[in-house]
Amino acid sequence: MDFLISQKPTAVVATGEAHYNRGLEDISYITVYFPNNIIAHINVNWLSPVKVRTTLIGGLKKMLVWNDLDPDEKIKVYDKGVDIKTKNGVYNLLVSYRSGDMWAPKLDQGEALKLLAESFVECVTNGKVPINDGLAGLRVVRMLEAANKSLKKKGGIVYL
């Protein structure tokens, strides 16, 4: 999320419950607010019997679904969205939901840890800055701290 959304978050709201370990939530729902009406939702659940690693990115014209557990079709792009049109200059909006084809681009298969190690060596060797540098880590920690504060406030909004 930090890599995909170039803007800094403005607020965080988190709710969750500690079912087995009092004081440490094992289920949590986090909403991160950004400028320009961009929001991100994160769901973590240590109790789920099913492993889920899915990211959905919705845009005006397409939706992208990334499923890290699908070895063959990790990314699917859907021609799905909403068309908003005005009718005869009247301010009443007509909403038309569009559902079209799905496209699964072929991706090179690579082991994540190997790719990370290769990137690290390249950054050290060539003096490049990694996409997940210390500043990226700091931004993530700030969001997590805000989520923790929100959890303690039972879902109260925490501004960044």
Side-chain angles (χ1 to χ4, degrees):
M1 180 178 66
D2 183 66
F3 177 73
L4 292 175
I5 302 172
S6 61
Q7 300 170 355
K8 294 181 180 177
T10 57
V12 176
V13 172
T15 57
E17 288 295 332
H19 295 281
Y20 291 106
N21 183 359
R22 293 291 161 212
L24 183 62
E25 290 77 14
D26 35 37
I27 297 176
S28 184
Y29 301 90
I30 302 166
T31 301
V32 183
Y33 295 89
F34 294 86
N36 300 320
N37 298 322
I38 296 173
I39 60 172
H41 295 288
I42 301 165
N43 174 344
V44 290
N45 183 344
W46 289 96
L47 303 179
S48 174
V50 179
K51 187 176 185 179
V52 177
R53 296 243 174 102
T54 305
T55 300
L56 289 95
I57 300 172
L60 293 174
K61 297 180 180 182
K62 308 269 188 218
M63 286 196 79
L64 182 136
V65 177
W66 174 70
N67 182 353
D68 190 44
L69 301 178
D70 188 338
D72 298 322
E73 294 181 344
K74 284 194 181 290
I75 292 181
K76 295 179 183 176
V77 181
Y78 292 87
D79 180 21
K80 186 172 182 79
V82 177
D83 292 327
I84 300 175
K85 301 174 185 174
T86 60
K87 182 179 179 182
N88 300 326
V90 179
Y91 292 104
N92 297 332
L93 293 178
L94 299 175
V95 177
S96 171
Y97 293 95
R98 185 182 72 255
S99 183
D101 295 332
M102 184 277 296
W103 175 57
K106 183 178 179 347
L107 299 176
D108 291 335
Q109 298 291 333
E111 184 182 341
L113 189 55
K114 179 182 177 192
L115 294 171
L116 181 66
E118 288 171 351
S119 175
F120 176 76
V121 169
E122 182 181 349
C123 289
V124 170
T125 304
N126 300 323
K128 293 177 71 177
V129 177
I131 62 170
N132 57 345
D133 62 359
L135 292 175
L138 178 61
R139 290 189 299 270
V140 170
V141 168
R142 284 184 176 151
M143 276 195 284
L144 292 173
E145 286 178 339
N148 194 43
K149 286 179 185 175
S150 179
L151 279 169
K152 301 304 180 221
K153 294 168 48 174
K154 293 292 184 191
I157 192 163
V158 174
Y159 293 96
L160 301 171

